[in-house]
Amino acid sequence: MTAKRKHMRSGRPNGNMRPRKKRYLVVTNGEVTEPQYFKGLEKELGDVVIEVRSYRKDPSTLAVAAKDLKDREANASNSSGNRGVDGFQRVFVVTDVDDFTVKQFQDARRICKNEGMELIITNPCFEVWLVDHLVCCPSAYTEAKDVERKAAELGIVGGSRDKHVDYARIEGKRGQACENASIHNTDERKRKRSQLNSLDFGPWTDMPAVISRLDGKNRK
């Protein structure tokens, strides 16, 4: 065996090897829309891996599930038999408001803070963020049914129960979505979102923080 082949098989990087893609974990209680969006985003970005896990759980239980997955991955990446496995750069716990309680969100926030994860809330539903790609989600839309109807009217979602994302409709527009989100993410709603003593801060989305983590120079 040549010296070059020995070097490659040792696992050490050389000039011909591409760096491994950074990996991110999204744990969400959305069963269709959120997973489809994040896989579309992964494909659009091209140089990241976004692993999505979906569970029908309340925010606090979802955060516990995310912690378990994060710990399991960290143990795998640190074990001697899995030196080629990188841990997750970031873990995002993605939830909408639904009929969840303030306490469930407060507990989720505490768990995420303790575990170095990020709680990502969209209020009232994830479609707020989808709508922002094409137009600013109207401030009057505080009910999920209104936001979901708007997303369908814009052709962003369709199919069964209007839950399937047509990612081509929003591809390349995440910068515009962040700008539109900044309009309805007012200072007053930001204060309420930060305190998390009530859930009357919609329409709101934390998704610009995720984009900041995943996009280019902000990635870490």
Side-chain angles (χ1 to χ4, degrees):
M1 180 180 294
T2 66
K4 181 177 179 181
R5 291 183 66 187
K6 287 181 181 179
H7 177 70
M8 291 179 66
R9 293 189 65 178
S10 70
R12 294 190 299 268
N14 60 58
N16 295 323
M17 292 182 65
R18 296 180 179 177
R20 285 197 290 264
K21 296 180 179 180
K22 292 186 182 299
R23 301 172 64 236
Y24 298 84
L25 175 64
V26 169
V27 182
T28 179
N29 45 25
E31 298 180 81
V32 179
T33 306
E34 288 88 330
Q36 288 188 356
Y37 168 78
F38 280 105
K39 297 317 289 184
L41 181 63
E42 176 190 65
K43 183 177 180 180
E44 179 181 354
L45 292 172
D47 60 348
V48 300
V49 174
I50 304 175
E51 300 203 12
V52 184
R53 300 291 183 269
S54 177
Y55 303 96
R56 296 185 66 181
K57 298 179 182 295
D58 67 80
S60 58
T61 310
L62 193 69
V64 172
K67 174 189 179 301
D68 291 343
L69 290 169
K70 177 177 72 73
D71 291 346
R72 191 183 311 162
E73 193 71 13
N75 291 335
S77 64
N78 290 331
S79 68
S80 59
N82 291 279
R83 290 175 180 168
V85 177
D86 293 329
F88 296 117
Q89 296 292 310
R90 293 276 174 176
V91 178
F92 303 107
V93 178
V94 178
T95 178
D96 53 18
V97 169
D98 276 341
D99 295 321
F100 302 128
T101 67
V102 169
K103 186 179 186 303
Q104 288 171 329
F105 281 101
Q106 292 174 339
D107 289 345
R109 177 177 61 183
R110 173 180 51 79
I111 295 167
C112 287
K113 182 178 180 181
N114 290 342
E115 297 299 327
M117 306 184 299
E118 297 187 43
L119 177 62
I120 304 300
I121 303 173
T122 300
N123 187 357
C125 58
F126 191 75
E127 281 81 355
V128 168
W129 172 244
L130 299 182
V131 168
D132 280 339
H133 284 74
L134 299 186
V135 298
C136 177
C137 185
S139 287
Y141 285 13
T142 60
E143 299 290 333
K145 62 181 181 180
D146 295 325
V147 184
E148 291 168 349
R149 183 175 63 249
K150 185 66 172 179
E153 289 174 355
L154 292 170
I156 301 170
V157 295
S160 177
R161 298 185 297 123
D162 287 329
K163 292 296 183 182
H164 296 268
V165 179
D166 183 356
Y167 196 85
R169 291 281 294 151
I170 60 175
E171 185 172 0
K173 296 181 173 65
R174 62 186 182 278
Q176 184 62 51
C178 290
E179 290 183 18
N180 284 333
S182 71
I183 297 173
H184 61 69
N185 283 6
T186 62
D187 290 342
E188 176 64 13
R189 291 186 180 121
K190 182 178 181 180
R191 180 185 65 80
K192 291 183 178 181
R193 163 64 179 90
S194 178
Q195 294 175 342
L196 211 53
N197 292 325
S198 69
L199 299 175
D200 63 339
F201 54 88
W204 173 274
T205 179
D206 289 329
M207 279 300 298
V210 177
I211 298 303
S212 178
R213 298 297 192 197
L214 297 177
D215 249 344
K217 64 181 180 181
N218 296 319
R219 188 175 300 150
K220 59 182 180 178

